[in-house]
Structure formats: structure tokens, C-alpha cells
Amino acid sequence: MTQSAYDIAILGAGPVGHVLALLLARQTAQPERIVLLAGSPPATPALLASSPAADPRVLAMNHGSRVLLESLQAWSGRAADIRHVHVSQRGRLGSTIIHSDDFQVPRLGSVVSYAELHATLQACVAASGVTILYGPPAQAQDQDSLGIRVRQGDTELRCGIAVLSDGSGGADIRREYDQHAIVTSAVATLPRAAWAWERFTREGPLALLPHPLDARAYSVVWCSAPGRAAQLAQMENGAFSAALSEAFGTRLGRLSSQAPRHVFPLALSARRTLVQGRLVAIGNAAQTLHPVAGQGLNLGLRDAARLAHTLTEWLSCPADNPGARLAEFVSARRADRWITAGLTDLMPRAFATRLAPLEHACGAGLLALDLAAPLRAPLARHLLQGFRA
Ligand SMILES: Cc1cc2nc3c(=O)[nH]c(=O)nc-3n(C[C@H](O)[C@H](O)[C@H](O)COP(=O)(O)OP(=O)(O)OC[C@H]3O[C@@H](n4cnc5c(N)ncnc54)[C@H](O)[C@@H]3O)c2cc1C
């Protein structure tokens, strides 16, 4: 058994763990005392695009996330702008459009590929001086007044703080949506540049986003009951394209999809508290959300940014007990976490109800948003930047 000591161990090298590592590296004279515990080493760029293990997700990153990633020189080169978002519900009245001009921002968001963003972040962390250890899944173990023990296979680490960023959600609060998301892409006969579409259907939300890697295509995230999702995943391309066009409507002409389809089961899972002693959870390890409105990673990046900010002073005296700092972090993140989790929990359930009065209320809500800019502004601002106290 090898043993070593670090100030902070980050358990899980997804985008949120990587961003935290980069932020902390900028705040300490000894970045090697931050350790990132990852699974396998990164694939080479040539392998990445064709790797079957590459994550097929695309991510809508809001303005705040892009600014953060750019400040870390970790913005992935290929991104598609979203300047207009159209929200509607299928078979019912009511829709609203949000434009970037309404908020005097160049774009409402940018769509990037998860695999490309991840690869960019891996390269940045490799150059940051942070220690990276590859191995089997890491686990936080016991803690005392001096530190916390973390184990990765045969390696035991003694750390001041352990940060869980393994995407595992948490079991305190859990809701099964009885929905799976199909992720794929499609081309349209009447494409509209820089438009994104969120369409609520009785089966679940259907989002079309401008594709970051193919200017002619849209990324599709289509949520429906698990049985229906399995059926859609197995259809011939022609039948799937027809089903997609029918569900989406005619705003983009006809949709045609030749791309592979991937299925993601959806659930809300969240921890009531982010901190237990010296163990902190951030990103999807703290809360895993429904993908409607593309909020999960944006929220996780705000967790990482706030945690790094809160630990600035502690990093210069890591022998101190971090309890008071971590309590500050919990309180600073409370409102943003619960507002975002609440919104993304409510939206897919409210619009998917088959109760006519509630469906009409949702339609009326969209109509009200469309007519009243003062109502639309807070929602759009939250989706752009998250909650600011
Ligand atoms: C279909 C779909 C569409 C989405 N679209 C959007 C969007 O448009 N915008 C948005 O903001 N969010 C979106 N999300 C959510 C977003 O993907 C997640 O919020 C984001 O990936 C969370 O990042 P993370 O680093 O916290 O976790 P993850 O991305 O899950 O990464 C965690 C990493 O930790 C590793 N790991 C697991 N266990 C261990 C362990 N014990 N030790 C070490 N490592 C471990 C995992 O292998 C993984 O690499 C979407 C999600 C889905 C499913």
C-alpha cells in the first residue's frame, strides 16, 4: 500500500472535477498538492472522435459557464451559438421566444460536445501542475480532526478535504421520471441558424439545439417513457425521422436523422447537504437533474467556482480546520441549487401531465411569458447565469 498526503483530493474527473482542479491550481503556489483521481488516462485526440466510449452528449452552456471556461483557457474551439430559444407545447396553445438582444448579450448560450469539452479540460489540467492519479474508482473513507482518508485501489491518500465529483447524485432525494432521453442528431430541410427549440410533449420534452460539430445539423434530446424510448431507439432511420418530424412539428421543415441513437435513463437525485465534515459534493455528485433546459453542468460549474472561491484563504493554511469555510460554501450554494433543481423538476412533470386544467395552465403560462417581458426576464436570466444572491 502506498501512502501520500495532499491538501485536496478530487474524486471524479468529469468536467466539474476538472474545472475545480484548474480553479484551485490558480490559487495555490503548490498545485501538486491538489490531486485529481481519474479512471483511465485520456484517449489521444485522434482516437477520441471515433472512440465508442466517447460521450455522445452535447451540452448547452450558458453565458456564465462560457465566461468561466474562457477564463481558464478551457473553452472548446467548436461551439454553436444559441441566440434565440423557442419554447412551446405540442397540441396546446402557448409559446414564447427568448432573444439574446433582449438581454444585451451576444448569445444566450453555446452548444459544445461533452467529449470535446472533456478532452480540452484534460489537456488543461495535465498542464496545470495538479497531480493526476489514474486507477479504479476512488472512495472517501474515515475522517478525524486532522484530515480525511481516501483510497484508490492500493493507494491511500491523507487529505485536508475530499471533494466528491463522481457524478453519483446522492440518495437523500430521489425522483424517477419514468422517462429516458434519446440523444442523436438530425438535419432539417428549413434550418434556422442559432435557434434552439424546447418543445413540451405529453411524452416528455423534446429539445433541438444547433449542432456544435456540424453546421447543417441539430442535436436532438428527446425524452419519453422508457418503453417508447426503446422503440424509438430501435427504429429504422426513416421511421425514426418521421416520428421526430411529427413530434416536433413543421417549424424546421422535415427532419431526417441518420445518426446513432443513445439512451440515457433520467432521474432526479440530490443530497440534502453538500458537506459532511471534510467531505464535499459538487456537480452531479451533489445533484443530478432532468436535462430539460440544459442546466446540470451549468449548475455544477457554479458549485466548483464557489467552492474554489471559498477555499482561497484556507489553501494558504491547509492545516487549519476547513469547517467554517465549508459551512459558508453550503449556505452560498443553497438558493441556486434548490431553485434550479425545482425548475428542472417541475417543467417536465407539469407539461407531461394529462390533466386538461394543468395543461391549459402551462399553455397560459407560456402565453403570459410571451406577452410580458418582465415575467420572461427573471427566468431567462436564471437560465443564463444561475441565481445571484
Ligand atoms: C441527455 C443529457 C443531456 C444533457 N444536456 C445538458 C446541457 O445541455 N447542459 C448542461 O449544463 N447539462 C446537461 N446535462 C447534464 C450534464 O451532462 C451533467 O450535469 C454533467 O456531465 C455533470 O458533470 P460532472 O463532472 O459532475 O459529472 P460526470 O459528467 O458524470 O463525470 C463524473 C466522472 O467521475 C467518474 N467517476 C465515477 N465514479 C468515480 C469514482 N468512484 N472515482 C473516480 N471517478 C469516478 C466518471 O467516470 C465520470 O468521468 C445533460 C445530461 C444528459 C443525460
Side-chain angles (χ1 to χ4, degrees):
M1 163 102 45
T2 18
Q3 285 196 320
S4 19
Y6 294 93
D7 295 338
I8 300 181
I10 302 170
L11 288 69
V16 172
H18 276 95
V19 165
L20 179 67
L22 287 174
L23 289 164
L24 293 173
R26 287 202 309 197
Q27 292 173 198
T28 171
Q30 294 179 291
E32 68 282 1
R33 291 192 56 80
I34 313 289
V35 62
L36 178 64
L37 301 171
S40 42
T44 61
L47 268 179
L48 179 73
S50 59
S51 164
D55 196 301
R57 264 173 287 184
V58 297
L59 303 162
M61 305 305 296
N62 67 23
H63 183 63
S65 297
R66 179 168 178 157
V67 169
L68 173 67
L69 291 166
E70 282 177 344
S71 76
L72 294 168
Q73 265 109 52
W75 183 245
S76 100
R78 295 194 285 178
D81 277 359
I82 300 175
R83 289 198 294 276
H84 319 273
V85 177
H86 185 283
V87 186
S88 62
Q89 59 174 345
R90 182 170 178 232
R92 296 274 164 195
L93 281 181
S95 65
T96 191
I97 302 180
I98 302 168
H99 300 284
S100 56
D101 286 353
D102 300 344
F103 299 91
Q104 289 89 44
V105 289
R107 62 187 75 78
L108 292 168
S110 315
V111 188
V112 298
S113 123
Y114 181 106
E116 278 205 1
L117 174 65
H118 197 221
T120 307
L121 286 166
Q122 284 175 322
C124 292
V125 172
S128 70
V130 164
T131 305
I132 307 170
L133 298 180
Y134 300 104
Q139 282 180 340
Q141 311 222 295
D142 55 308
Q143 46 180 303
D144 55 32
S145 60
L146 297 177
I148 178 165
R149 260 182 339 116
V150 170
R151 181 183 282 255
Q152 186 190 44
D154 285 342
T155 306
E156 188 178 288
L157 318 174
R158 179 100 189 144
C159 316
I161 294 175
V163 182
L164 214 52
S165 53
D166 61 4
S168 60
D172 298 343
I173 297 169
R174 186 149 180 102
R175 188 197 302 282
E176 300 296 337
Y177 288 111
D178 200 28
Q179 284 179 8
H180 286 181
I182 303 245
V183 174
T184 186
S185 64
V187 290
T189 51
L190 298 172
R192 297 178 73 176
W195 279 75
W197 314 81
E198 185 85 66
R199 188 149 171 78
F200 291 95
T201 77
R202 283 179 175 159
E203 296 177 323
L206 164 60
L208 262 70
L209 308 171
H211 200 289
L213 309 182
D214 180 349
R216 299 163 312 136
Y218 286 89
S219 304
V220 176
V221 182
W222 188 357
C223 306
S224 61
R228 170 74 171 150
Q231 205 183 34
L232 289 169
Q234 281 156 20
M235 280 179 179
E236 295 293 323
N237 289 344
F240 178 78
S241 301
L244 179 61
S245 298
E246 216 233 306
F248 182 73
T250 53
R251 285 194 176 88
L252 290 171
R254 249 190 355 272
L255 293 163
S256 158
S257 175
Q258 312 287 326
R261 282 162 235 144
H262 304 266
V263 180
F264 289 80
L266 304 179
L268 164 74
S269 57
R271 287 168 198 268
R272 258 181 232 293
T273 175
L274 296 178
V275 171
Q276 285 174 294
R278 290 169 179 268
L279 181 65
V280 195
I282 60 170
N284 268 33
Q287 63 273 316
T288 300
L289 310 180
H290 192 290
V292 66
Q295 290 299 301
L297 181 55
N298 291 300
L299 181 64
L301 294 185
R302 298 199 291 275
D303 288 344
R306 172 52 75 161
L307 182 60
H309 177 74
T310 311
L311 293 178
T312 312
E313 278 176 33
W314 179 84
L315 269 174
S316 56
C317 294
D320 288 357
N321 188 312
R325 300 286 177 213
L326 295 179
E328 252 175 58
F329 168 71
V330 171
S331 126
R333 293 301 300 138
R334 190 168 291 125
D336 189 16
R337 283 187 79 211
W338 294 122
I339 291 173
T340 311
L343 274 175
T344 58
D345 180 46
L346 184 69
M347 279 195 256
R349 291 188 302 119
F351 282 96
T353 175
R354 285 163 196 269
L355 298 173
L358 202 50
E359 286 181 335
H360 286 305
C362 291
L366 284 179
L367 197 62
L369 283 177
D370 196 47
L371 295 175
L375 287 180
R376 209 167 53 225
L379 176 65
R381 210 159 267 130
H382 184 88
L383 300 180
L384 267 174
Q385 297 185 315
F387 178 81
R388 304 274 146 142

